[in-house]
Amino acid sequence: MTSVSIDRSFGWFHHADGDRGVVMCASIGYEGLCAHQSWRVLADRLAAAGLPTLRFDYPGEGDSLDDPADSDSVDADIVEAWREQIRTAVRWMREAIGVREVTLVGLRLGAALAAEVGGVERLVQIAPVVKGSAYLRELKVMARVLAASGATPETNGAAATTGDDIRLEGFAITRSMAAAIKRIELTRLPAAPAERVLLLHDPAAKPPPDFVQRLESLGASVETRELLDYRALTPAPAPPPPPLADLDAVVAFASEGAGRALTSRPPEGALATEHFIERAVLFGEQRRLAGVLCLPRGEPKMTVLMLDTGANHHIGCGRSTVDFARSLARQGIASLRMDTLGVGDSAVVMGGPRAALYQSERAADVSAALDFLETRGLADVTVFGVCSGAALALYAALADARVKSLALGNLQIFRRVDGEDREKLLEMGFAATHTYVAKAMSARAWRRVVNGEVSFGKLFDIGSALLRRKASAFAGALARSLGFAHGDAREARTNFSRLAARGVRILMLHGDHDAGREVLDICFGPDARFLRKLPNIEIDVIEGADHALSSALSREALLEKMSFFLRATDSGAGSKPDDPRSLVGASTMAALGAFSLMANME
């Protein structure tokens, strides 16, 4: 892959020597985020079949510039800006790369936009949005269902959808954007978008006959096919592995009759504003790790290494990590938002992104990132992560003595997990127990069960998980009353005592309704009193924060608390390892950590 910039859009170009290029038009927002891994795998397979392939982010999406939430005027034009970016990408493929033909491959809304733009030889539509109004209704239902789960930025369905505004996992579709999407109607296309069209559809929802008839009446040759694993392309907190059979069907159609031809390799691109310069980077062993380096104008004061959350790639829910990196750059702070092995744009692993979560072995990826930053002269690195990213940051700090500063958001575990414990952790929600209890007392929640929106099997799974959570809390309390710390708590306390002894500065942030706060008390006693006695550890709570820290409220609070923490880290970073005063300080902290561990085993 080569990272490229096309106007104000970021993209990855997958090189191949072939006379037919492919431009991939992703879906938007949460749908695009969840399908990212499959999208990347498809690009790899298209290039392997001899098709030069470009995948890119629309303006205001992914790593591109222009935020559609900046102003109403941008809102009104953003959907047309997405169409124009597709046109620009097609021209770029023909002129800069030198292909003879172009195939557009679109997913959901991206498929609709690709059909509206047209002007290519072939078109692949994967579960296309035929009517924009129906698509908006689907998104509203999805937003309300996710809000009802208790772990999203929106605490209820009313907050998730207000009028035509839709907020879905930190992504927003505003009223003016919704109005532009509502006008999409593919049954009224004025011209055939391509000579040949492959239409892949959800088995439960065949494409409207009038849409297929419209394409054929305009002179297009249309082939329809059911998706074998549509579920793998639909939004989910931890998507399953990519649907390889469906992706291979796309590759077969796109590559049929394509020829070999020498094509150009584009130069690596960068995006720049008056505040920062961003470029994608590949690093680590065989350059298998990917990320985006954001450098402020001028000499960086320090650096933040941002780890991915869950199965989401480095942009984060609602582009929260992108916004965070660019806000820090305005303060003179550099950052690298990276994907660990198996996630996002880094090399694929068996089992998909889910297989990479909570694996302590991935601490080696963080070490590789620290190596890369050192080669760029970027020191004073703070490692930051949320949820599984916070766990990885903890693993990395325990494994690599270069980690001197940690920022951990909504950390759920304080020790290593594997096997059955890891699977239970991946299945459980992120809301606090009292949140689920409150929902259980709600008449509306039981109406959703009666209506079939929530299955009894799901209720049983949640109930079982909550019982395990409370049993763990009871075991911890019983162990403390008997004068010792049980296994999980003992390992957690040992881990943080080791870091304190090394002088690692730690900021721990939790949402007030996050399950991590319960685990914190289980491992470290009421109000985390064990941790509060250790040096260099700050514990703070963000009222009303969502689990991924992607809501507007969470982002604002995170930036404020992180900025304060980083300034304090910077001001205390003056003493060098060889300074005798540093050695005395380290010895003192080691003694304090050991004493605190002994005194608090209870």
Side-chain angles (χ1 to χ4, degrees), residues 214-248:
R214 181 64 176 173
L215 289 173
E216 292 176 336
S217 70
L218 294 169
S221 171
V222 182
E223 176 185 342
T224 61
R225 179 187 177 112
E226 286 188 355
L227 288 160
L228 300 177
D229 191 5
Y230 179 57
R231 182 180 62 94
L233 295 170
T234 56
L244 299 183
D246 291 323
L247 302 186
D248 286 344

Side-chain angles (χ1 to χ4, degrees), residues 266-560:
E268 290 190 358
L271 297 175
T273 71
E274 61 179 310
H275 299 292
F276 60 83
I277 301 173
E278 282 191 347
R279 65 178 71 250
V281 293
L282 297 173
F283 58 94
E285 185 179 353
Q286 298 179 340
R287 289 162 51 90
R288 300 177 72 205
L289 295 169
V292 175
L293 184 65
C294 182
L295 297 175
R297 297 289 190 175
E299 189 69 22
K301 299 175 182 176
M302 62 184 71
T303 306
V304 176
L305 175 58
M306 303 177 179
L307 307 181
D308 35 38
T309 301
N312 299 331
H313 66 297
H314 58 265
I315 70 168
C317 272
R319 298 179 82 210
S320 55
T321 312
V322 178
D323 293 342
F324 186 35
R326 292 172 181 175
S327 296
L328 290 178
R330 292 182 175 90
Q331 301 179 34
I333 299 172
S335 63
L336 172 64
R337 47 187 191 269
M338 68 170 286
D339 294 327
T340 49
L341 205 61
V343 177
D345 296 313
S346 290
V348 179
V349 298
M350 186 80 67
R354 180 187 173 97
L357 301 182
Y358 293 106
Q359 298 281 9
S360 58
E361 294 81 4
R362 296 279 61 80
D365 300 347
V366 181
S367 293
L370 293 175
D371 292 340
F372 167 77
L373 291 172
E374 283 182 357
T375 65
R376 294 296 184 100
L378 296 170
D380 298 327
V381 178
T382 293
V383 183
F384 166 73
V386 177
C387 189
S388 62
L392 179 56
L394 174 61
Y395 298 156
L398 292 168
D400 195 323
R402 291 176 296 177
V403 178
K404 298 296 184 184
S405 179
L406 283 176
L408 310 174
N410 281 332
L411 180 59
Q412 299 269 314
I413 60 168
F414 303 88
R415 59 181 182 86
R416 286 181 170 82
V417 292
D418 49 34
E420 186 178 348
D421 287 344
R422 179 176 166 274
E423 290 305 312
K424 290 176 181 176
L425 181 65
L426 290 172
E427 291 299 329
M428 185 52 189
F430 305 115
T433 302
H434 64 81
T435 300
Y436 288 105
V437 173
K439 288 182 180 294
M441 302 298 288
S442 163
R444 182 180 179 278
W446 286 104
R447 280 198 301 272
R448 294 182 65 231
V449 175
V450 172
N451 293 337
E453 294 180 49
V454 177
S455 68
F456 282 99
K458 180 64 174 178
L459 284 180
F460 178 79
D461 291 341
I462 293 175
S464 300
L466 292 177
L467 285 175
R468 289 195 300 269
R469 186 187 287 178
K470 298 313 289 184
S472 179
F474 175 76
L478 179 61
R480 288 195 299 271
S481 68
L482 295 176
F484 63 91
H486 71 303
D488 290 357
R490 184 182 303 112
E491 183 179 348
R493 295 180 182 200
T494 299
N495 287 340
F496 279 84
S497 293
R498 282 179 55 197
L499 296 178
R502 267 185 25 215
V504 178
R505 295 194 69 247
I506 302 174
L507 172 65
M508 300 184 69
L509 295 171
H510 280 92
D512 55 337
H513 294 297
D514 198 83
R517 292 191 68 196
E518 295 180 43
V519 184
L520 195 71
D521 289 347
I522 290 171
C523 290
F524 303 109
D527 196 32
R529 63 188 180 196
F530 176 87
L531 288 182
R532 294 184 186 278
K533 293 179 181 179
L534 295 177
N536 297 320
I537 296 181
E538 301 173 36
I539 303 173
D540 209 340
V541 174
I542 301 177
E543 300 292 333
D546 63 290
H547 179 70
L549 300 182
S550 60
S551 68
L553 179 151
S554 302
R555 296 185 204 201
E556 183 178 346
L558 173 63
L559 180 61
E560 178 185 353

Side-chain angles (χ1 to χ4, degrees), residues 44 90 102 153 169 187 206 208 217 377 460 500 508 551:
D44 285 340
V90 170
V102 173
E169 289 291 291
T187 60
K206 292 186 177 181
S217 70
F460 178 79
M508 300 184 69
S551 68

